[in-house]
Amino acid sequence: RIRAIVNRSAILAGIQSFVESKKQGRMGAIHPHIFRSYFKRQMKEAGITDEMLLDLILAHKERYQGAYDRYTDDDIKKAYTKAESFLT
């Protein structure tokens, strides 16, 4: 559903173009996944520089299966709170 919303919004804004993907065929150049780099950049701009925490928030595979870093729900909430004004 998110993909449809992003696609429709990009079309209405006049910024959507379409490309051929080997895996998915014809698809919009503007799609939900491209916002991940923006999100990470804005988190860093807000001062969240812990790469392991950013990987956790972005659901990247944890290095070393997270053996050395443990984050609580409170750690993640604090990071979002700190970055909120950069993400809205």
Side-chain angles (χ1 to χ4, degrees), residues 15 41 50 52:
I15 60 172
R41 186 173 58 250
D50 183 332
M52 294 291 284

Side-chain angles (χ1 to χ4, degrees), residues 4 8 13 15 25 28 34 47-48 50 58 68 70 73 78 80-81:
R8 183 182 49 189
I15 60 172
I34 66 170
I48 312 301
D50 183 332
L58 289 167
Y68 305 113
R70 300 283 189 250
D73 289 345
K78 284 179 185 175
Y80 274 107
T81 300

Side-chain angles (χ1 to χ4, degrees), residues 43 48 53 57 74-84:
M43 292 291 280
I48 312 301
L53 178 60
I57 290 171
D74 195 48
D75 294 330
I76 296 168
K77 287 178 189 175
K78 284 179 185 175
Y80 274 107
T81 300
K82 185 175 181 182
E84 185 175 12

